[in-house]
Amino acid sequence: TLGVVLSLGLLAPAAAQKVYSVRPQRVDEPLGRVSAPGDVLNMSIEQKWQNAVWRDTIRTTYLRHNAAGRPLERLIENRSGTGWSVRQRRRFTYDAQNRLTHDTLFSSLGNPLLAFRYTYNVAGKRDSMFSKSRFLGTWEDARRDITYYDANGRILRLLEQNNNTLGGGPAVWVNYSQTLYTTDAQGRILTDEYQDTDPQTGAFLPNNLLEFSYFPNDSVRIARSLLWNAATSSYDIIQGRDRHVYNLAGYRDSMYVEPYDASTGTYGLDNVRTYQYDTRWNRIGELRQLGTSLSTLTNLSRWQYTYTILGTAEEIVAAKSLTLAPNPTSGPVELRYELKTAAPVRVEVLDLLGRRAAAPTTGGPQAAGAHSLSLDARALTPGLYLVRLTAGAQTRQVKLVVQ
């Protein structure tokens, strides 16, 4: 289905992770994450919605971590009756910069099956991946990926090759596919073209094109998928789009997979993913629902995450820097504050019951340092209010008296 094919996802915010195309996406989602700095992800549980009840299906446990909180060993289990059965185990190693260098997959019986090795260029960007498979006790080269960048470190090309040698011997690498990228001055991907190879000639053949568009402050990202039309020699078959929506902290909030209806020239809806976070912006939940409209969504699956909180809460808004002047006031008032680190900012005016008394003001990402924001109290009924400033994961508030 299109919902499976479009695995990239088009709307959303929230610390990063990756997804929407007709093939595995190889570029890290820039605004997605799972755990906050210093915190450790211990477990995730995937559940399916069956007979109006959430039922466990897959459990992932992170058994060991290094000093930086990176996972060293991961166990994946399937739900089996009233218990769990081992599905696979993975072990990871890192270099001195905590970059992943080796990733080994083991069977449920503990036998190594696949091994991945990663290398990085002088700028610290991943430039290759080599995989080996184990058959009858012997390791053989299986696949390699080579990533190319321009002089500014922006991605240009990903080349995927398979080993054409069977039964041992030196590897003979043959092209399997390539992905070509264009980026803007900020390094954001604008197009992502996937090409597979002609089995007879080995030439690269156009297959699928992703076109990315971005909204102010990266609050929304849209990826449109187009298929190659051999009859017209162009990418003119619109497959659909993903809309990723991001919250004020810059983390993914929701993702909408929208198939394209050529007969009407409009986008519909296939499925929606929404994400939940704790106060430290650890991702604690993910819900996937199916439906052709937001009013007809039905549950499909969800993921729940648990953590060990090791980090300390980061102070973003400097203590005692949040002030209002003049206060009391019956007209314009200036809110002043100081950010110790760069962060997205949101300002709300609330009454004493916590109800929003004025439209929120979004300042978008702001640099560290002193800032000011003008507010207008003339539309407010005389009384006591709270002005709440949210910067990243931190919230501070100050009282406002309107005369």
Side-chain angles (χ1 to χ4, degrees):
T1 67
L2 183 64
V4 174
V5 172
L6 302 186
S7 60
L8 219 181
L10 303 187
L11 289 182
Q17 291 229 332
K18 33 187 174 187
V19 287
Y20 168 150
S21 76
V22 295
R23 75 284 183 182
Q25 187 71 8
R26 303 298 186 186
V27 178
D28 291 340
E29 160 60 53
L31 298 177
R33 74 172 179 188
V34 174
S35 60
D39 296 344
V40 171
L41 175 62
N42 290 327
M43 182 184 296
S44 68
I45 294 181
E46 180 181 350
Q47 298 177 317
K48 299 293 186 183
W49 183 252
Q50 298 175 347
N51 299 321
V53 175
W54 287 111
R55 300 186 185 277
D56 295 342
T57 56
I58 299 175
R59 181 172 69 184
T60 302
T61 306
Y62 297 84
L63 302 174
R64 298 182 296 120
H65 299 80
N66 65 13
R70 297 295 186 92
L72 295 173
E73 187 170 3
R74 184 179 74 187
L75 177 67
I76 299 179
E77 301 168 290
N78 291 330
R79 186 69 176 179
S80 179
T82 58
W84 297 91
S85 60
V86 176
R87 176 178 173 181
Q88 64 169 241
R89 186 184 300 263
R90 298 185 88 131
R91 292 176 182 167
F92 311 96
T93 58
Y94 306 85
D95 63 14
Q97 289 74 45
N98 273 306
R99 298 176 303 197
L100 179 65
T101 58
H102 295 84
D103 171 2
T104 305
L105 184 148
F106 297 81
S107 70
S108 60
L109 299 177
N111 299 316
L113 299 177
L114 292 171
F116 302 87
R117 178 172 63 89
Y118 305 93
T119 65
Y120 301 83
N121 61 23
V122 293
K125 293 180 178 292
R126 182 180 297 175
D127 59 8
S128 68
M129 183 283 295
F130 298 87
S131 70
K132 291 179 177 287
S133 60
R134 193 167 183 264
F135 181 68
L136 298 178
T138 302
W139 286 102
E140 294 185 352
D141 291 315
R143 197 190 88 203
R144 71 178 182 184
D145 295 349
I146 303 173
T147 307
Y148 301 86
Y149 303 88
D150 66 16
N152 295 312
R154 296 187 288 256
I155 190 169
L156 291 174
R157 180 191 185 207
L158 172 68
L159 175 65
E160 300 179 71
Q161 298 178 315
N162 289 336
N163 179 20
N164 204 31
T165 302
L166 299 177
V172 176
W173 297 106
V174 295
N175 293 337
Y176 172 74
S177 67
Q178 70 172 357
T179 305
L180 305 177
Y181 302 92
T182 62
T183 57
D184 62 15
Q186 299 172 254
R188 299 180 303 186
I189 294 174
L190 298 178
T191 62
D192 168 342
E193 181 188 5
Y194 175 80
Q195 301 177 347
D196 50 22
T197 54
D198 186 316
Q200 303 300 322
T201 66
F204 289 109
L205 302 174
N207 182 292
N208 170 252
L209 178 70
L210 297 180
E211 295 179 334
F212 295 87
S213 57
Y214 302 85
F215 286 66
N217 301 324
D218 285 336
S219 59
V220 177
R221 187 193 71 173
I222 293 181
R224 187 173 71 148
S225 178
L226 302 101
L227 295 179
W228 180 257
N229 186 343
T232 62
S233 296
S234 64
Y235 285 106
D236 58 14
I237 301 175
I238 302 175
Q239 190 177 20
R241 69 183 184 185
D242 286 355
R243 291 187 298 121
H244 301 263
V245 177
Y246 296 84
N247 60 30
L248 291 174
Y251 303 135
R252 178 179 291 165
D253 180 74
S254 54
M255 181 184 87
Y256 302 78
V257 176
E258 301 174 331
Y260 182 74
D261 186 339
S263 64
T264 62
T266 60
Y267 292 94
L269 183 66
D270 180 83
N271 67 81
V272 176
R273 291 194 183 200
T274 53
Y275 304 87
Q276 300 82 43
Y277 303 87
D278 63 16
T279 57
R280 293 176 53 76
W281 295 110
N282 289 308
R283 183 184 297 175
I284 58 175
E286 177 180 339
L287 174 65
R288 186 181 182 192
Q289 297 173 297
L290 296 178
T292 56
S293 69
L294 295 178
S295 63
T296 61
L297 292 176
T298 58
N299 293 332
L300 177 64
S301 57
R302 72 178 183 182
W303 291 259
Q304 296 177 305
Y305 305 89
T306 58
Y307 301 83
T308 295
I309 307 300
L310 299 177
T312 56
E314 179 182 21
E315 183 179 51
I316 300 175
V317 183
K320 300 181 180 180
S321 72
L322 188 64
T323 62
L324 286 168
N327 189 17
T329 184
S330 58
V333 60
E334 185 176 40
L335 175 69
R336 296 179 180 178
Y337 54 94
E338 180 183 350
L339 299 182
K340 300 185 71 173
T341 62
V345 170
R346 180 184 178 90
V347 176
E348 298 172 286
V349 179
L350 309 173
D351 64 18
L352 295 185
L353 296 178
R355 297 173 300 191
R356 186 177 294 162
T361 300
T362 302
Q366 295 185 358
H371 297 271
S372 64
L373 180 68
S374 295
L375 303 175
D376 192 348
R378 287 176 294 185
L380 299 177
T381 303
L384 183 61
Y385 296 86
L386 294 176
V387 177
R388 177 179 297 170
L389 172 73
T390 300
Q394 186 181 20
T395 297
R396 291 189 184 277
Q397 58 190 30
V398 62
K399 292 181 181 178
L400 170 65
V401 178
V402 177
Q403 296 176 328

